[in-house]
Every structure is written in structure tokens, then in C-alpha cells.
């Protein structure tokens, strides 16, 4: 049985680029994912999930400074999403910024414990 090699449909809006970026990211195609997240943000720079997702892709590529920058933008848009702090905590950890990593993990835990 042959794999389906048809490329994903071209998105029509920021949410579509974000979704296609997620497909690329799930398959380890982080550069393609980053390109789609970037396009999503060009269309709507208030899309916190696109900032988060691009930050995660940068993280997976070992590009921790870029990851922290994007995750910080996601947090500025939606400061109540515990996942944003949790992932930024990991990026800080791998950047040897241990105090910032702990502070973000504490915020992550605090938000999770509220609900």
C-alpha cells in the first residue's frame, strides 16, 4: 500500500495555517510547521496558539531563545494558559536559566490548581 503523498490543502486563513502547521509538527517537519505558524501570525498576530505552537517547534529544534520569545508572546496574549508556562519552563531549563524555569513551573502549577 502506498502512502498518500498529496500535500495538505492550502489554508485560507490564520487558523488554517495554524492547523496545517500542527500537522507538519506532529510529523516532525518543524521547518514547514514554523513557516505555516509564521504565515498564521502574519495574518493574525493575536493568535496565541500560533505563537505557542511555533515556540514549541523552535523548542523541538533546540532553538530555545526563539522558543522563549514566542512563548512569551503567547503568554502576553493569554496569561491563563498553564501549557504556555510549562513549555517556556522547559525552554528556560534547557537554556540553563534555572530560576526562570522554576518561576514558570510554579505559575503553571498555580494555574492548574485553580481549576
Amino acid at each position: 500500500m502506498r502512502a498518500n503523498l498529496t500535500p495538505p490543502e492550502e489554508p485560507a486563513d490564520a487558523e488554517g495555517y495554524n492547523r496545517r502547521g500542527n500537522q507538519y509538527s506532529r510529523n516532525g517537519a518543524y521547518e514547514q510547521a514554523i513557516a505555516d505558524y509564521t504565515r498564521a501570525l502574519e495574518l493574525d498576530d493575536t493568535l496565541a496558539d500560533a505563537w505557542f505552537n511555533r515556540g514549541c517547534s523552535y523548542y523541538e529544534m533546540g532553538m530555545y531563545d526563539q522558543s522563549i520569545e514566542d512563548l512569551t508572546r503567547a503568554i502576553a496574549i493569554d496569561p491563563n494558559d498553564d501549557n504556555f508556562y510549562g513549555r517556556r519552563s522547559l525552554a528556560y531549563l534547557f537554556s540553563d536559566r534555572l530560576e526562570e524555569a522554576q518561576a514558570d513551573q510554579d505559575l503553571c502549577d498555580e494555574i492548574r490548581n485553580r481549576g
Side-chain angles (χ1 to χ4, degrees), residues 1-6:
M1 181 173 212
R2 291 188 96 193
N4 182 1
L5 300 177
T6 304

Side-chain angles (χ1 to χ4, degrees), residues 1 3 9-10 13 21 33 56 63 68 71 85 104 106:
M1 181 173 212
E9 190 174 312
E10 192 66 21
D13 59 12
C56 290
M63 302 169 72
I68 291 165
L71 295 167
Y85 294 98
D104 269 5
D106 291 345

Side-chain angles (χ1 to χ4, degrees), residues 6 15 53 59 78 88 114:
T6 304
E15 287 286 349
N53 292 330
Y59 170 86
D78 184 359
R88 192 174 70 173
R114 282 186 213 155

Side-chain angles (χ1 to χ4, degrees), residues 10-11 47 81 96 98 100 109 114:
E10 192 66 21
L47 190 58
D81 192 316
D96 291 324
L98 303 182
E100 291 157 301
D109 293 342
R114 282 186 213 155

Side-chain angles (χ1 to χ4, degrees), residues 40-97:
L41 292 166
E42 289 168 353
L43 295 170
D44 182 0
D45 68 353
T46 66
L47 190 58
D49 285 340
W51 287 109
F52 172 75
N53 292 330
R54 192 173 75 171
C56 290
S57 289
Y58 281 135
Y59 170 86
E60 293 297 335
M61 294 180 68
M63 302 169 72
Y64 303 120
D65 290 339
Q66 293 91 330
S67 176
I68 291 165
E69 186 177 314
D70 279 6
L71 295 167
T72 299
R73 293 288 301 266
I75 289 167
I77 295 166
D78 184 359
N80 295 309
D81 192 316
D82 59 295
N83 293 311
F84 296 175
Y85 294 98
R87 182 59 67 129
R88 192 174 70 173
S89 175
L90 291 173
Y92 280 138
L93 186 65
F94 282 95
S95 298
D96 291 324
R97 296 166 65 178

Side-chain angles (χ1 to χ4, degrees), residues 26-47:
R26 279 192 295 275
N27 290 306
Y30 299 115
E31 290 176 4
Q32 289 172 295
I34 288 168
D36 271 1
Y37 298 137
T38 299
R39 182 66 181 128
L41 292 166
E42 289 168 353
L43 295 170
D44 182 0
D45 68 353
T46 66
L47 190 58

